[in-house]
Amino acid sequence: MCTFGFRASMEDLRKHLMVAAVDFGTTYSGYSFSMRADWEDNPLKISNPIWRAGSRQFVSEKTPTCLLLNSNREFVAFGFEAENKWIDLLLDNEHKEYYYFERFKMNLHNNKNITSGMMLDDITGTKRLPAFHVFKLSIQYLVNHLLDALKKRGNLVKHDEVQYVLTVPAIWTDRAKRFMRSCAEGAGIPTNNLILALEPEAASIFCQFLSTEKLKGSDPGFTMTAEGTKFMVVDLGGGTADITVHEKAANGHLKEKHRAIGNDCGGTSIDRRFFKLFEEIIGKTTMDSLKKESPLAYIDLIREFESVKRTVETETKTKVTMTIPVVALETSYQKVHNKNLESLLADSSYSKDIKLAQDKIRIDVEVFNKMFMPSVDSVISLMKEIFQDKSLKDVTHLLMVGGFSDCQLMHDAVRQAFPEKKIIIPEEAGLAVLKGAVLFGHDPEYIQSRIMRCSYGVKTNVPWHDKKYDRKHYAVMEGEERCDNIFSLIVGKDESVEAGMLVKKSFFTPFKHQDKMEIMVYVSDETTPGYVDDETCSLLCTPTITFSDTCEYRRWVDVEFVLGKTEIDLIAHDRNSGKAISAKFDLN
């Protein structure tokens, strides 16, 4: 259950001694933190752990998003440690009773059926667990890792003295954001100590503090802090692309000038095409067999492609070389095809483009690049869609952040599509979201206004009028003719809303002695929807207002919807007494 309203005030936020941000990514996750005193003196004095994989020589500022649980569904390990322990279990053939999850964040993208009971498949595809349990334990590990690290440094900050910030894609639905909040609260983060940060916003905030020298691609003397500066933020992560436009306001804050748009064309979309190519050569049955019977080889294949994808230079090469698990593959496809890999390659449509050389394959660079192009083209298409807005013609700079922003093919395509624009890639582009989220936690008012991604409204009924309403919504209530299922607009899609803006709606109890009241909140892709059962509308949530006492008369409740923040809030008051009323909702 999630509280709907009564978030911490700005005064409460500034009482925290420390801000810690958790970036729960599709492929990699991590956290950063800074003390309030340090932030006031030097905002960029932000710390983050160093994660070690395998040998002590390989270090990273993030760790893989993977979780290992035992047969009792209890936590065993997360990140690099989970990968290593899973591999050991595989080598010792002791893995069958364990659960191993990876890259599970994308289950929340474009999912219209997010519920507290939704299930996730583990890597083998043969076992399932509740998604809430998997996300909760993952977040819990990162929080505990932070608190343990602080203790080792002699920093005795208490759990409730930390302002936590959890990053989420701006293009996610409210249900997905609410799900992440409920998981974080389930992991032990107090409700009033948690705020959500939208990933492209966090990256944009981080870049406001960088000098020109740290903004690669900018002209000498260029600054993102000049009033009126407009720039597009292109956040390319492992799972999603999040794109929006910001303008620097007179007070030093940022205004959103276009609602965030995007899709699942992040780095992992390229991984899917690579495995699709492999399936075309060896067959889906063989690929499924490799995943279930030789998961160690499957993980090795994932790691190898991830490494090659990030480091390969396609401009100067005609072939891309990859190591593959030949022995495991041979075993799998001998059972199905009774052929070796060399024969399968020779018989495939890629016979001229992909060659086998011992334990490696050599892929023609054009074939390799084609795996990137649908994702690259999708990002370019999204950027062009935004630039169709004539009010954004004066946007001259493109800020590219996120792990996928390092892709040279992406740079080349953006330059070709927008030759008159300047591409800026900040130092630590892969950490821009994480460190920006820390800065946002210290000052959540940094984003002055936002553009609404959809319309919000509540279900209501009004007096019947034959010429105004559809007959199918006719109803008689308490002896009165009414039109039911009316979408009563709270705020419309594409409206610019100041952060914290209040919209007031009033409701009454139709029956005596009611001890609670439900409000049905809907969302729509239309700017002015008519009825809540229109195709473009869907139920977001049903906040329940609970009364501490009951009465004989009709009771009016004044509800204020708090808009323009990273989450929509609700505050309810009893009109007669003026007292605040508890308002909660379940993510069914």
Side-chain angles (χ1 to χ4, degrees):
M1 178 170 285
C2 235
T3 301
F4 197 54
F6 304 107
R7 296 283 182 264
S9 66
M10 286 306 301
E11 290 74 17
D12 289 335
L13 289 173
R14 294 196 173 103
K15 290 179 182 177
H16 295 114
L17 298 179
M18 188 181 85
V19 170
V22 175
D23 183 13
F24 195 80
T26 300
T27 50
Y28 291 94
S29 295
Y31 65 83
S32 289
F33 60 94
S34 74
M35 305 302 295
R36 174 158 290 278
D38 289 334
W39 171 75
E40 291 172 348
D41 182 55
N42 176 12
L44 291 181
K45 189 176 180 181
I46 301 172
S47 303
N48 53 274
I50 298 299
W51 308 86
R52 301 184 184 278
S55 71
R56 293 179 60 85
Q57 295 179 355
F58 182 78
V59 296
S60 172
E61 291 173 307
K62 288 187 179 181
T63 193
T65 305
C66 50
L67 175 71
L68 180 65
L69 307 178
N70 63 21
S71 58
N72 294 323
R73 305 178 180 184
E74 298 167 335
F75 179 85
V76 175
F78 182 86
F80 286 119
E81 186 180 0
E83 276 191 347
N84 295 334
K85 287 190 175 182
W86 176 244
I87 289 171
D88 288 341
L89 290 168
L90 292 169
L91 291 173
D92 295 334
N93 197 28
E94 297 176 353
H95 64 284
K96 293 180 182 179
E97 299 300 317
Y98 287 78
Y99 298 83
Y100 184 73
F101 297 90
E102 64 173 4
R103 299 188 177 190
F104 45 88
K105 179 182 174 183
M106 285 301 289
N107 285 275
L108 302 184
H109 176 71
N110 272 351
N111 187 343
K112 296 182 180 180
N113 299 307
I114 296 173
T115 67
S116 57
M118 65 183 286
M119 305 294 285
L120 289 182
D121 290 327
D122 80 337
I123 192 173
T124 67
T126 60
K127 298 189 290 291
R128 312 183 84 201
L129 284 182
F132 179 86
H133 189 64
V134 175
F135 279 85
K136 180 193 75 173
L137 290 181
S138 300
I139 295 171
Q140 192 173 63
Y141 168 79
L142 292 168
V143 171
N144 289 341
H145 192 281
L146 162 69
L147 296 176
D148 289 343
L150 291 173
K151 286 180 183 178
K152 291 177 182 177
R153 293 170 54 156
N155 190 327
L156 301 180
V157 174
K158 298 177 183 178
H159 191 37
D160 60 0
E161 294 175 327
V162 180
Q163 171 63 58
Y164 288 96
V165 184
L166 184 63
T167 66
V168 294
I171 60 171
W172 266 11
T173 65
D174 290 278
R175 289 188 70 82
K177 294 173 187 175
R178 288 285 173 183
F179 180 83
M180 287 299 290
R181 168 174 276 279
S182 66
C183 291
E185 291 174 353
I189 299 177
T191 297
N192 289 336
N193 288 56
L194 175 65
I195 58 174
L196 302 188
L198 306 184
E199 291 169 0
E201 290 184 356
S204 182
I205 292 170
F206 174 68
C207 293
Q208 303 301 306
F209 291 86
L210 298 181
S211 63
T212 304
E213 294 74 24
K214 293 186 177 182
L215 295 171
K216 180 183 174 183
S218 62
D219 293 325
F222 170 78
T223 174
M224 301 188 73
T225 59
E227 179 186 345
T229 300
K230 289 182 184 178
F231 53 94
M232 177 178 284
V233 185
V234 185
D235 178 18
L236 305 176
T240 57
D242 250 350
I243 306 174
T244 186
V245 176
H246 286 162
E247 178 181 2
K248 193 71 173 183
N251 59 2
H253 291 177
L254 292 170
K255 295 181 179 180
E256 188 176 49
K257 304 302 291 183
H258 193 285
R259 60 182 163 82
I261 64 173
N263 58 32
D264 59 347
C265 54
T268 54
S269 62
I270 301 163
D271 300 359
R272 290 195 296 271
R273 284 182 215 104
F274 169 72
F275 282 97
K276 183 67 175 176
L277 180 148
F278 237 72
E279 280 185 8
E280 290 177 23
I281 296 171
I282 66 175
K284 188 176 187 307
T285 302
T286 303
M287 203 67 182
D288 291 341
S289 174
L290 179 72
K291 188 175 181 178
K292 291 179 181 180
E293 297 179 16
S294 303
L296 175 57
Y298 184 75
I299 289 175
D300 285 342
L301 193 58
I302 292 174
R303 284 178 167 178
E304 176 68 6
F305 182 70
E306 183 69 23
S307 175
V308 172
K309 181 183 70 175
R310 287 174 174 268
T311 59
V312 68
E313 290 287 341
T314 58
E315 287 184 339
T316 58
K317 293 185 176 182
T318 59
K319 298 281 185 181
V320 176
T321 303
M322 275 187 60
T323 301
I324 60 172
V326 173
V327 175
L329 282 169
E330 289 277 4
T331 302
S332 295
Y333 49 64
Q334 281 283 358
K335 293 179 181 177
V336 179
H337 301 285
N338 198 26
K339 289 183 177 181
N340 59 30
L341 180 56
E342 193 168 10
S343 298
L344 287 174
L345 274 170
D347 294 339
S348 75
S349 58
Y350 296 99
S351 58
K352 295 181 180 179
D353 305 312
I354 302 176
K355 302 294 184 182
L356 181 66
Q358 298 179 356
D359 65 339
K360 295 176 173 57
I361 54 172
R362 302 263 289 158
I363 306 172
D364 185 89
V365 72
E366 290 188 10
V367 173
F368 192 82
N369 287 351
K370 282 181 181 178
M371 290 187 283
F372 287 73
M373 293 320 296
S375 299
V376 171
D377 291 343
S378 183
V379 171
I380 297 298
S381 177
L382 291 168
M383 294 171 71
K384 287 181 176 179
E385 180 181 336
I386 289 179
F387 280 126
Q388 288 177 358
D389 185 337
K390 293 181 180 179
S391 68
L392 303 178
K393 294 296 183 183
D394 56 345
V395 174
T396 56
H397 289 76
L398 312 175
L399 177 65
M400 297 182 67
V401 296
F404 191 28
S405 67
D406 291 330
C407 174
Q408 189 60 49
L409 287 170
M410 183 66 75
H411 297 172
D412 295 342
V414 171
R415 286 193 179 92
Q416 185 175 352
F418 309 102
E420 73 286 1
K421 311 290 185 185
K422 283 281 185 181
I423 300 175
I424 297 177
I425 303 173
E427 284 187 6
E428 299 184 302
L431 291 175
V433 168
L434 189 49
K435 293 192 172 185
V438 173
L439 297 169
F440 177 73
H442 284 295
D443 183 9
E445 293 181 339
Y446 207 96
I447 304 297
Q448 180 174 315
S449 63
R450 294 179 173 89
I451 306 295
M452 304 308 294
R453 292 194 64 247
C454 55
S455 296
Y456 294 85
V458 293
K459 177 183 176 180
T460 189
N461 59 81
V462 296
W464 179 258
H465 193 292
D466 279 323
K467 293 183 178 180
K468 288 179 65 175
Y469 303 119
D470 190 323
R471 191 70 188 176
K472 72 177 183 178
H473 297 292
Y474 175 83
V476 177
M477 302 178 183
E478 299 290 320
E480 295 182 20
E481 293 184 305
R482 311 286 290 183
C483 181
D484 200 9
N485 297 322
I486 292 291
F487 188 108
S488 179
L489 190 68
I490 299 171
V491 65
K493 180 179 179 179
D494 287 326
E495 282 189 40
S496 179
V497 175
E498 293 289 313
M501 186 184 87
L502 301 178
V503 173
K504 185 176 178 180
K505 293 279 184 181
S506 297
F507 305 89
F508 64 86
T509 54
F511 306 107
K512 295 179 180 180
H513 299 293
Q514 273 190 236
D515 58 359
K516 63 182 179 180
M517 172 194 293
E518 290 186 341
I519 301 172
M520 303 182 76
V521 181
Y522 285 80
V523 293
S524 174
D525 289 331
E526 296 291 328
T527 54
T528 55
Y531 303 98
V532 297
D533 57 357
D534 290 346
E535 286 187 3
T536 62
C537 298
S538 61
L539 180 65
L540 171 61
C541 59
T542 308
T544 301
I545 296 174
T546 304
F547 305 113
S548 59
D549 60 343
T550 62
C551 59
E552 287 276 340
Y553 53 85
R554 175 178 286 181
R555 185 178 216 148
W556 282 91
V557 176
D558 296 321
V559 177
E560 291 179 323
F561 293 90
V562 186
L563 307 175
K565 297 186 175 183
T566 56
E567 300 174 87
I568 285 188
D569 243 333
L570 177 154
I571 303 170
H573 288 88
D574 186 316
R575 182 179 293 180
N576 289 340
S577 67
K579 292 181 179 179
I581 309 172
S582 173
K584 296 183 178 181
F585 81 97
D586 287 313
L587 193 63
N588 297 321

